Amino acid sequence: MTIAEIAAAARVAEMTVTNYFPRKEDLALDYHGTFTAGLARAVTCRAESESALAALRRDFLAALERHDAVAGFSGAEFARMVTDSPTLTARLRELHDLREEALARALAAETASSGGDLVPRAAAALLATAHRVLFQQVMDLTLAGRSNQEITAAVTRSAQEVFGLLEPSLGGYAVCRGRS
């Protein structure tokens, strides 16, 4: 379906559609703004004395409990549409990359890192990859026909393991020392 056809079906001007959704793929992946900003938001809004890892773990587990789309919950039909479309799959991969970049910027700011410091970028890559693989597990279990409750139980166990693997290296990284 073209943007013109979508605009006609919605009875709006084509420009209206493109103002809200600059890319056709974003019509399907309409949580892109929330998705790409989510990890950075979890870090910048974390509690005092909470590490970035702890905040991201807490935020992910809460999203699982809510069956939130940003954690991968979408329903089988939608998950199949995304996985069967190379264009949507590529856009989702790009959104994961944008989310990682936003997290890297937030970690750099939170740790007052210099522009050339690779540590925030490396930490963001590890933390975002944890979210990416858990997101994919939610999608895979959705496609396998599992209920949201079954998915939440399975992915919660996986999340504890995955975030646990990161604990020795990132458990004390970017601990919030208070806000000025």
Side-chain angles (χ1 to χ4, degrees):
M1 184 173 258
T2 68
I3 296 235
E5 291 169 326
I6 292 166
R11 298 179 188 205
V12 297
E14 189 173 334
M15 186 62 113
T16 300
V17 175
T18 58
N19 282 341
Y20 286 99
F21 302 99
R23 298 175 64 162
K24 189 164 71 169
E25 297 83 13
D26 291 338
L27 286 164
L29 302 170
D30 59 340
Y31 286 104
H32 62 278
T34 302
F35 183 83
T36 58
L39 300 182
R41 181 197 44 76
V43 166
T44 58
C45 295
R46 71 192 183 285
E48 189 168 333
S49 77
E50 187 175 37
S51 70
L53 173 64
L56 290 166
R57 175 190 291 138
R58 179 183 41 75
D59 192 66
F60 182 80
L61 293 173
L64 281 179
E65 289 298 321
R66 291 189 310 271
H67 304 143
D68 198 320
V70 297
F73 288 92
S74 60
E77 290 178 10
F78 186 83
R80 180 131 351 265
M81 177 185 72
V82 171
T83 58
D84 288 350
S85 167
T87 304
L88 289 175
T89 300
R91 179 62 174 151
L92 182 57
R93 188 172 30 258
E94 182 181 17
L95 293 174
H96 278 291
D97 290 345
L98 291 170
R99 182 163 76 159
E100 180 182 318
E101 290 170 19
L103 178 59
R105 286 190 304 275
L107 289 171
E110 291 286 317
T111 60
S113 297
S114 67
D117 189 356
L118 289 179
V119 173
R121 182 76 201 154
L126 293 168
L127 293 164
T129 296
H131 279 78
R132 187 185 302 234
V133 299
L134 294 166
F135 181 99
Q136 187 60 52
Q137 185 183 24
V138 171
M139 295 280 284
D140 292 343
L141 292 170
T142 299
L143 290 169
R146 304 285 290 277
S147 72
N148 283 349
Q149 291 73 22
E150 291 172 313
I151 293 168
T152 298
V155 178
T156 296
R157 287 188 300 275
S158 295
Q160 295 297 3
E161 289 181 78
V162 169
F163 289 118
L165 287 172
L166 297 175
E167 189 66 40
S169 58
L170 294 175
Y173 177 69
V175 174
C176 183
R177 305 287 182 217
R179 307 283 177 210
S180 33

